[in-house]
Amino acid sequence: MTNNADRTVAVSLPFTGKWKVENSPLRRVPSHGTHLLATTYAIDFVGVDDDGRTAPRVSWRTAFATEAPELFFAFGRPILAPVTGKVVAVHDGEPDHEARRSQLALVPYLLGQQERLRQGTGAIAGNHILIAADDGGAVVGVMHLRAGSLRVGAGRHVSEGEHIGDCGNSGNSTQPHVHVQAMDGRDPWTARGLPLVFRSFGEKPARGSTFITRANMLPQEGSIVEAQ
C-alpha cells in the first residue's frame, strides 16, 4: 500500500498579494485537528495589508459581536488555480456569513459545528472547486469562496494561475480566507489527505522583517507570504 505521507504534491499559491498563514502542517498534523474530509495536510491563508492587518479597523463589534465579511481585506480577492487540470467538482450557493473575531461570537459558532457536519460538504467547505491535476497525482481543492464568484464549471480544463473564483467567508469559516488541500480522490468523505508544498513564494517569518525566497516547501505558521 502506498504511504500517502510520501506523496507530496507541488502547487502554486492560489493568489497574489500578501496573506498570513494559519493552520500550517508544519505546526501540527492533522493541521486542522482532524483527518475528516481529507484535511490532514490542509493549510489556510488570510489576506492582509502591508502592515499585516486582516481588516482596516477594529470596533466594539470586534470584541463582542460579529462583523461584515466585506470589512476584511481577503474578501473578494481573486483566487487562482493552484494546478493545471480538470475541474471535477464545483459547489456554489453557500452564503458568506458574518465574520467572528470576538471570542463571545465564537461560542455559538463552535456549538454549531456538529450540525454543519450533518448538513454535508458544502456547509463545511463552503463554495469550493476541486481540480484533478493533469499529472494524475492528486485532486487539489480551494475552499470558502465567495458566493456567486465561481468562474468555472465541472469538466472545464483550467491552467495554473487562472482566476477561478474569489475569496469568501462561506462554510466553516470564522473570517474570510482561502483553504487549500490535496487528496487522493475527488470525494472528500472517502479520500485521504496528501502533503502539499508550494513551488515558489516569498515568506516573511512571524518574527522577521524581510521576505525570504522559498521553493518547494511549506510556509511557517503565522508568517506572511506572497507569490513570486
Side-chain angles (χ1 to χ4, degrees):
M1 179 180 295
T2 301
N3 182 353
N4 274 5
D6 296 331
R7 294 177 57 189
T8 301
V9 180
V11 303
S12 291
L13 289 175
F15 46 69
T16 60
K18 295 180 173 66
W19 298 68
K20 184 177 181 180
V21 179
E22 302 284 357
N23 294 316
S24 171
L26 291 182
R27 179 172 67 92
R28 68 174 182 181
V29 174
S31 62
H32 287 56
T34 178
H35 297 283
L36 191 65
L37 294 173
T39 59
T40 301
Y41 302 99
I43 187 168
D44 292 333
F45 298 96
V46 182
V48 296
D49 67 358
D50 289 340
D51 296 319
R53 302 177 303 167
T54 61
R57 62 182 182 273
V58 296
S59 68
W60 69 268
R61 298 192 66 87
T62 306
F64 299 107
T66 60
E67 299 171 283
E70 292 85 358
L71 172 67
F72 294 80
F73 294 123
F75 191 78
R77 283 188 181 179
I79 298 301
L80 314 178
V83 292
T84 295
K86 181 180 178 180
V87 176
V88 294
V90 169
H91 181 85
D92 200 353
E94 301 293 332
D96 291 292
H97 50 71
E98 293 287 288
R100 302 166 188 266
R101 287 188 282 180
S102 159
Q103 293 300 313
L104 290 176
L106 281 171
V107 172
Y109 176 83
L110 293 173
L111 291 175
Q113 186 77 343
Q114 290 302 314
E115 176 58 28
R116 285 191 291 276
L117 280 170
R118 284 191 288 270
Q119 291 173 5
T121 305
I124 299 296
N127 306 311
H128 60 274
I129 297 171
L130 304 182
I131 304 168
D134 273 352
D135 63 11
V139 173
V140 180
V142 289
M143 322 301 196
H144 310 303
L145 303 177
R146 181 171 62 86
S149 74
L150 280 64
R151 292 169 167 246
V152 297
R156 163 82 179 276
H157 191 270
V158 296
S159 298
E160 186 174 308
E162 182 177 340
H163 184 185
I164 57 175
D166 298 338
C167 183
N169 198 43
S170 59
N172 192 36
S173 175
T174 57
Q175 68 174 277
H177 76 286
V178 62
H179 166 116
V180 185
Q181 70 181 65
M183 49 193 180
D184 65 1
R186 64 180 62 186
D187 182 356
W189 290 102
T190 58
R192 292 177 296 175
L194 298 174
L196 282 167
V197 294
F198 295 94
R199 293 192 181 96
S200 178
F201 60 95
E203 179 180 18
K204 184 170 71 173
R207 297 182 181 179
S209 58
T210 60
F211 281 88
I212 303 167
T213 298
R214 309 290 198 194
N216 295 315
M217 60 185 296
L218 281 169
Q220 295 279 351
E221 180 84 5
S223 67
I224 305 296
V225 300
E226 59 181 3
Q228 291 188 333

